[in-house]
Amino acid sequence: MIPDLKWLDDPEVFRVNQRPAHSDHYFYKNSAELATGQSSYVQSLNGPWQFRYSATPQERPLDFYREDFDARDFDMIKVPGHIELAGYGQIQYINTLYPWEGKTFRRAPYTLSDQLTPGIFSAAADNSVGSYLKEFDLSPEFIGKRTIIQFQGVEEACYVWLNGHFIGYAEDSFTPSEFDLTPYIRSGRNRLAVRVYKYSTAAFIEDQDMFRFSGIFRDVNLLALPAVHVDDLKMTPSVDPDFKSGRFELQLKLSGAALPTAQLKLALFDQNNQLLAQQTQTAAEKVTFEPIDFPKVTLWQPEDPYLYHLQLEVRDQTGQLLEVIPYDFGFRRVELRADKVIYVNDQRLIINGVNRHEWSAETGRAITLAEMKADIATMKANNINADRTCHYPDQIPWYYLCDQAGIYLMAETNLESHGSWQKMGAIEPSVNVPGSNPHWLAVVLDRARSNYETFKNHTAIIFWSLGNESFAGEDIAAMNQFFKDSDPTRLTHYEGVVHAPELKARISDVESRMYERPANIAAYLEDEPAKPFILCEYMHDMGNSLGGLKSYIDLLDRYDMYQGGFIWDFIDQALFVVDPLTQQKVLRYGGDFDERHADYEFSGDGLLFADRQPKPALQEVKYYYGLHK
Amino acid sequence: MAYTNNQLKLVYGDGSLGVQGHGFRYLFSYERGGLESLNINGKEWLYRVPQPTFWRATTDNDRGNGFSRKSAQWLAADQFSACTKVTVKIDGQVIELPIAPLNNRYTGAETAATAEIDFEFTTNTLPTTTVHVNYLVSPNGAIKIAVHYLGQADLPELPVLGLRLVMPTSATGFTYQGLSGETYPDRMAGGIPGTYHIKGLPVTPYLVPQDCGMHMQTQWLKITRASTQNNADNDPVPFSLTIQAASQAFNFSCLPYTAEELENATHHEELPLPRRTVLCIAGAVRGVGGIDSWGADVESDYQISAAQNIDFDFTIVPER
């Protein structure tokens, strides 16, 4: 296949040769590896890569992917990381308006006309390009196995080549993109080339209120798939209406040459590693295990996030172990009952929540596991029981940490298009995407699917969120329907349907609003409300703020259908720089990089400062969120 | 001369009233319009006379909802209000302002059980209003300071109403009995009562410098310094000043900067070198709000109406 630069311009081209999205399970060669957490089936490609920055697509080094390309004059860049924070390309913070505001006139394709706009990004003067090269020696463990490359996050569109051969194309900055390298991988030295574009049509639906970066900003791994491999695992632990017993169901999708003769062994353990159940099955492309009854389940809940442990072994016909898969899961039951109140485990759900962008003052959205763990500890210490992954899927470990810590998740899909309909505070949706536009349907459905398929096994997730501030139309209704069809065990959330009340019956299980005044919430709840009420954003903690939280917490006592909210937001977005005048390390915010248009200090709305020191308001959150645990 | 235990020594100067006792020496200046010198054990505690304060550095929420624009008169009042009247009471009796030639009749040996000096400030707002700052000195040197703001319905809401005391050098820290952390009337439920020591004069590092560091519901506050501007003072021993609640708990912030200095900076590194101690004792504190940062006002219970009288008091107690 020949890669085409025009894909950047076409909202209907967003994944080429990508593997289907699948569950985020880890897999190991054997129990010894499992015990250490180091899988020989994974080869990290993080680290220094060769790099060339080009200000426009036209200036990119055309043949850089060829094996005979002389890249001795390339720079070096650290992967994962943002191109802008490595000193290439201007840093920009902007909220609602698109980053090219006032510089390049753009309307999303298929809005003002029924056509594409040729060159809208592929020939654009503002679309910077990162050409990445990585030479690596294939780990001996990989030889003879299928080799997959997994990019966990590349912003915002990327083309991949291996050893001179085109491999594939991906958009969606915040979900893993995987490609099969098997046809072209070599034992020994290989040459990987990745071309990253700052903009594609994805830019219209990735307009999140954040610093705008590009580059390979999350981990890059090679994965070796054994002769039989579990591609996807779907666990369904369910709790019976008596909240005492439950059952566990498991479906797998497998692949590999040795498939028909392989054997699968499932073992379930409690938290004390006591074996509770075992089952064997013969491998096939699709395997459904017999349901396993649990006469007595210990429920997963924020105060006691009890997790059971699954271990799945795949063996070939000789009994040789091919892979071991661990996964911890909890039993919890989410219900929207006839009284229009959401219950989790028979208790009325109360969300003491916060919105969390992934952020580091040093490295932007390329955050570390240590930072994630610190955030979990901060949440637990301050009675925060829920996180909305605003406004994109987070790194995979975050979901595991939330399972373990007992943090409810509203798992948000990577979708935000407020630049297409929010103009200087007014609502003007004439060029809104996705809207009801058929040309934008597939891409948003793909994002919903990636979110669901990747994270479906995480007990912590109780809501699927369709995205943020993207107005509402048939495309978002279709996303809602996708989640409903795929997952009856969780609820859907979307705030933007407030702008299209005629779609309320088809979008979102909850009435979700942002920054609504307490009196207006009471008015909704007094007026025959159709759905329970949640604030997906409230208490805008910009600067010295967070006054008046009591008025919201009091609503919890007045209305069962008021189920809490998510404070905006967890951590300031600001970047450390060295002030040239004082040589001090200081925090800089929007506009501080001479970028215009910018939204200046609006980037700093966190309960934590950008360096993760708590703001004084945090003690107030701890107090009020401690009243309804 | 030796001081008696229950009498203040008075010095009827030509521009000020000196009030002295064991270990303290105060100057109430008629021309400066306030307490010019608060000298305790030889250490000066005031850089300039205390002024009523009406402004807080605009918070992000104040900016978003237009509060600072609507209440901008108070920024001028914070900087340019003038003392328009001084009243002196000795042992509870009003005396005519004792300037020359009236004070020629004194000998230098006058004493009294109490001295009370009242400074009336007139704001440069439209319309104007007045603030009285009343100092009542007891023989032990304690100064009870009572502030009375005269309500004026035609003025915009107040950002704060307090008394600003600027000290010549930076404090090394302060200790107070009150609530943990930075608290405001609409954000103080999480403050845990206790006694807290704060090292230095921290400015809360909000991205844009803005009003910060308020402490609500305080019983007492002790500020410690270790340096003076007195060229003859080579004593490195830290020294302290204590402020106690009088008729009710008080609110304060203790920062190295005035509201105007904070207001002018868009980043912390733009703030001047910390050099003074700016103590604001606030009788009325506006809430910070939080519903949003682009229009929602602070909830009505936490706004400061300019129409109502505001009274508050506290006592400065010399340490011995």
Side-chain angles (χ1 to χ4, degrees):
Chain A
M1 176 177 282
I2 298 167
D4 191 340
L5 200 59
K6 294 196 190 82
W7 294 342
L8 298 176
D9 303 330
D10 189 344
E12 292 174 283
V13 180
F14 45 85
R15 55 193 301 151
V16 176
N17 287 347
Q18 266 192 66
R19 300 182 79 223
H22 58 77
S23 61
D24 64 347
H25 58 282
Y26 298 103
F27 55 103
Y28 301 87
K29 189 179 180 184
N30 52 47
S31 314
E33 286 189 0
L34 173 60
T36 65
Q38 296 294 317
S39 175
S40 59
Y41 292 157
V42 179
Q43 180 179 351
S44 172
L45 294 184
N46 291 352
W49 289 44
Q50 286 180 284
F51 181 74
R52 166 61 56 84
Y53 175 81
S54 308
T56 67
Q58 283 58 48
E59 296 165 76
R60 72 196 191 281
L62 260 183
D63 297 333
F64 88 119
Y65 61 86
R66 291 169 58 119
E67 293 212 76
D68 57 359
F69 182 81
D70 182 354
R72 279 176 297 184
D73 63 345
F74 271 38
D75 302 334
M76 298 300 282
I77 196 168
K78 180 173 177 278
V79 169
H82 302 295
I83 290 172
E84 291 75 9
L85 296 190
Y88 308 93
Q90 193 171 16
I91 295 168
Q92 181 181 20
Y93 165 70
I94 188 168
N95 175 13
T96 52
L97 298 178
Y98 284 114
W100 50 77
E101 166 63 20
K103 295 177 194 150
T104 305
F105 181 83
R106 286 192 174 102
R107 287 291 182 260
Y110 301 117
T111 55
L112 292 182
S113 75
D114 57 0
Q115 296 170 32
L116 292 173
T117 310
I120 184 170
F121 293 109
S122 63
D126 61 353
N127 193 8
S128 58
V129 189
S131 299
Y132 290 76
L133 287 174
K134 180 72 173 176
E135 294 205 337
F136 62 89
D137 291 323
L138 192 66
S139 161
E141 183 61 54
F142 281 55
I143 292 167
K145 298 189 177 70
R146 294 168 289 164
T147 298
I148 306 299
I149 189 161
Q150 177 193 58
F151 297 92
Q152 295 198 352
V154 181
E155 197 166 5
E156 170 174 272
C158 72
Y159 297 76
V160 181
W161 293 260
L162 181 73
N163 298 330
H165 301 278
F166 178 64
I167 299 294
Y169 173 77
E171 295 181 7
D172 190 347
S173 305
F174 295 95
T175 45
S177 303
E178 292 184 357
F179 303 95
D180 188 355
L181 301 182
T182 310
Y184 305 113
I185 196 84
R186 295 191 292 240
S187 58
R189 182 55 53 112
N190 288 270
R191 187 180 172 100
L192 180 71
V194 184
R195 184 105 74 188
V196 179
Y197 291 85
K198 183 157 181 144
Y199 299 135
S200 68
T201 49
F204 287 106
I205 53 174
E206 291 186 14
D207 192 37
Q208 286 91 343
D209 172 11
M210 60 190 184
F211 279 89
R212 307 305 176 98
F213 295 133
S214 62
I216 305 174
F217 73 102
R218 289 181 180 169
D219 291 351
V220 183
N221 290 316
L222 295 174
L223 307 176
L225 305 189
V228 174
H229 172 66
V230 175
D231 289 319
D232 183 73
L233 137 156
K234 181 184 176 187
M235 303 185 294
T236 312
S238 56
V239 180
D240 293 331
D242 65 2
F243 295 95
K244 294 193 173 96
S245 56
R247 67 169 39 192
F248 177 86
E249 293 167 87
L250 177 65
Q251 294 171 290
L252 305 179
K253 291 178 188 162
L254 297 104
S255 64
L259 196 56
T261 56
Q263 291 296 312
L264 306 169
K265 185 175 126 191
L266 165 69
L268 299 178
F269 302 85
D270 68 12
Q271 209 162 38
N272 300 319
N273 260 330
Q274 294 299 304
L275 181 67
L276 302 177
Q278 286 192 89
Q279 198 177 119
T280 56
Q281 293 279 344
T282 301
E285 284 188 4
K286 289 186 178 176
V287 173
T288 300
F289 282 78
E290 293 299 321
I292 296 171
D293 286 323
F294 280 68
K296 190 165 178 292
V297 292
T298 302
L299 299 173
W300 179 96
Q301 46 210 348
E303 298 298 298
D304 179 19
Y306 191 96
L307 292 174
Y308 291 82
H309 179 67
L310 165 146
Q311 189 164 317
L312 190 63
E313 293 177 359
V314 182
R315 290 177 191 273
D316 68 13
Q317 59 185 5
T318 69
Q320 171 78 27
L321 188 60
L322 298 175
E323 67 178 10
V324 185
I325 292 166
Y327 217 115
D328 289 352
F329 64 95
F331 284 96
R332 52 110 187 85
R333 184 181 175 105
V334 181
E335 297 170 277
L336 175 50
R337 291 186 182 163
D339 60 1
K340 302 177 192 169
V341 174
I342 301 166
Y343 294 81
V344 176
N345 294 340
D346 208 25
Q347 303 284 317
R348 172 185 165 219
L349 171 67
I350 289 178
I351 295 174
N352 296 313
V354 67
N355 284 274
R356 176 178 168 275
H357 269 287
E358 292 183 313
W359 191 254
S360 158
E362 302 277 4
T363 57
R365 285 187 287 280
I367 65 169
T368 62
L369 187 61
E371 286 162 328
M372 294 180 221
K373 287 180 174 173
D375 293 350
I376 291 279
T378 299
M379 290 183 182
K380 293 303 283 185
N382 291 284
N383 298 320
I384 293 167
N385 73 356
D387 165 48
R388 177 181 182 221
T389 69
C390 66
H391 300 295
Y392 44 78
D394 289 341
Q395 287 190 45
I396 289 168
W398 180 250
Y399 299 80
Y400 282 93
L401 291 172
C402 288
D403 290 344
Q404 291 159 12
I407 305 276
Y408 291 129
L409 280 171
M410 174 177 277
E412 194 144 278
T413 307
N414 179 19
L415 172 61
E416 172 141 21
S417 68
H418 51 184
S420 74
W421 62 274
Q422 245 185 54
K423 311 289 171 75
M424 295 199 295
I427 296 169
E428 204 298 293
S430 54
V431 291
N432 171 239
V433 286
S436 298
N437 192 318
H439 299 286
W440 288 83
L441 173 62
V443 64
V444 298
L445 274 180
D446 182 69
R447 285 164 183 244
R449 183 179 298 108
S450 292
N451 190 20
Y452 165 73
E453 292 292 357
T454 309
F455 300 114
K456 57 184 176 282
N457 291 309
H458 287 286
T459 305
I461 297 173
I462 59 173
F463 289 101
W464 296 112
S465 180
L466 311 181
N468 186 59
E469 294 186 35
S470 300
F471 208 68
E474 288 298 329
D475 293 4
I476 286 176
M479 294 172 77
N480 193 88
Q481 191 61 45
F482 166 81
F483 283 113
K484 284 287 161 197
D485 291 345
S486 305
D487 189 353
T489 71
R490 297 178 176 101
L491 302 175
T492 60
H493 164 269
Y494 185 64
E495 176 269 344
V497 73
V498 296
H499 305 298
E502 70 279 7
L503 290 171
K504 280 193 176 184
R506 293 165 55 207
I507 295 178
S508 188
D509 287 318
V510 293
E511 175 80 13
S512 172
R513 299 189 194 169
M514 45 176 67
Y515 310 108
E516 186 61 282
R517 287 158 165 73
N520 294 344
I521 300 170
Y524 167 83
L525 292 167
E526 294 283 352
D527 187 24
E528 298 180 15
K531 299 176 183 177
F533 189 102
I534 280 174
L535 284 161
C536 64
E537 295 176 20
Y538 79 123
M539 280 279 110
H540 194 259
D541 196 31
M542 181 178 179
N544 191 353
S545 183
L546 212 117
L549 180 53
K550 180 177 194 297
S551 299
Y552 290 98
I553 300 300
D554 284 350
L555 292 170
L556 288 167
D557 297 324
R558 286 172 58 197
Y559 303 102
D560 283 349
M561 286 174 66
Y562 178 71
Q563 305 211 257
F566 299 86
I567 288 171
W568 186 268
D569 59 356
F570 184 71
I571 182 167
D572 279 2
Q573 294 182 51
L575 288 163
F576 273 127
V577 303
V578 174
D579 175 33
L581 268 68
T582 63
Q583 306 306 316
Q584 282 178 284
K585 201 169 152 189
V586 299
L587 284 165
R588 291 282 162 88
Y589 51 80
D592 284 344
F593 304 92
D594 284 352
E595 83 278 22
R596 304 289 185 276
H597 176 64
D599 280 298
Y600 304 95
E601 64 271 23
F602 204 72
S603 63
D605 316 330
L607 295 175
L608 306 185
F609 294 105
D611 61 0
R612 286 194 157 67
Q613 292 301 305
K615 277 189 192 169
L618 193 57
Q619 68 177 7
E620 197 78 353
V621 175
K622 179 178 184 177
Y623 173 78
Y624 280 115
Y625 276 7
L627 296 180
H628 301 82
K629 283 196 181 181
Chain B
M1 66 172 281
Y3 296 109
T4 59
N5 282 335
N6 52 7
Q7 290 285 296
L8 294 162
K9 174 176 162 52
L10 304 178
V11 178
Y12 289 96
D14 290 325
S16 52
L17 176 66
V19 180
Q20 301 173 6
H22 182 64
F24 62 89
R25 199 183 66 211
Y26 307 145
L27 282 184
F28 291 92
S29 170
Y30 315 133
E31 58 177 351
R32 292 289 170 186
L35 178 60
E36 185 185 5
S37 175
L38 177 67
N39 189 304
I40 297 168
N41 297 327
K43 307 283 188 181
E44 180 55 57
W45 279 94
L46 288 174
Y47 178 64
R48 294 290 186 267
V49 296
Q51 297 279 336
T53 184
F54 306 99
W55 191 249
R56 72 173 187 190
T58 301
T59 66
D60 289 321
N61 289 346
D62 287 343
R63 200 181 326 277
N65 61 34
F67 172 77
S68 294
R69 178 174 47 77
K70 289 178 278 192
S71 290
Q73 288 196 57
W74 293 116
L75 172 58
D78 192 73
Q79 300 191 71
F80 302 117
S81 292
C83 176
T84 44
K85 189 177 172 191
V86 182
T87 305
V88 178
K89 270 189 201 175
I90 302 299
D91 286 331
Q93 297 298 312
V94 175
I95 63 168
E96 194 173 346
L97 191 67
I99 53 174
L102 275 182
N103 58 345
N104 290 340
R105 61 192 163 100
Y106 297 116
T107 66
E110 284 73 22
T111 63
T114 62
E116 182 177 349
I117 306 92
D118 188 279
F119 297 89
E120 181 194 78
F121 291 83
T122 302
T123 62
N124 54 340
T125 50
L126 286 175
T128 65
T129 188
T130 59
V131 176
H132 284 259
V133 180
N134 184 285
Y135 299 85
L136 174 61
V137 188
S138 300
N140 63 0
I143 311 174
K144 182 181 169 188
I145 302 179
V147 176
H148 173 76
Y149 162 85
L150 178 67
Q152 167 50 264
D154 293 330
L155 287 172
E157 282 170 33
L158 282 153
V160 68
L161 191 280
L163 188 71
R164 180 175 62 233
L165 298 95
V166 182
M167 299 165 190
T169 59
S170 283
T172 58
F174 57 93
T175 305
Y176 68 95
Q177 185 191 336
L179 300 175
S180 63
E182 177 189 276
T183 46
Y184 284 82
D186 57 352
R187 201 189 73 207
M188 55 188 274
I192 300 164
T195 299
Y196 298 96
H197 177 69
I198 308 296
K199 210 176 160 196
L201 296 173
V203 179
T204 314
Y206 298 117
L207 282 183
V208 175
Q210 56 195 273
D211 187 71
C212 63
M214 188 58 70
H215 297 278
M216 302 297 293
Q217 303 272 335
T218 307
Q219 296 302 319
W220 57 263
L221 162 68
K222 180 173 165 177
I223 299 174
T224 300
R225 292 159 59 216
S227 62
T228 71
Q229 299 194 124
N230 179 354
N231 60 294
D233 179 2
N234 297 311
D235 174 10
V237 177
F239 53 100
S240 301
L241 183 74
T242 298
I243 290 158
Q244 287 182 346
S247 54
Q248 70 274 314
F250 63 91
N251 317 305
F252 78 97
S253 65
C254 192
L255 299 166
Y257 304 118
T258 63
E260 288 76 13
E261 286 172 320
L262 291 168
E263 184 80 57
N264 279 343
T266 60
H267 294 83
H268 284 261
E269 60 271 25
E270 298 160 15
L271 289 164
L273 290 174
R275 189 179 287 285
R276 320 257 177 239
T277 302
V278 180
L279 172 66
C280 172
I281 308 284
V285 179
R286 172 176 161 84
V288 289
I291 291 173
D292 63 40
S293 302
W294 49 87
D297 204 346
V298 169
E299 290 181 295
S300 57
D301 287 353
Y302 309 111
Q303 301 168 1
I304 310 173
S305 164
Q308 307 295 320
N309 293 344
I310 299 169
D311 284 279
F312 68 96
D313 56 14
F314 58 95
T315 303
I316 293 177
V317 185
E319 295 258 320
R320 293 218 171 76

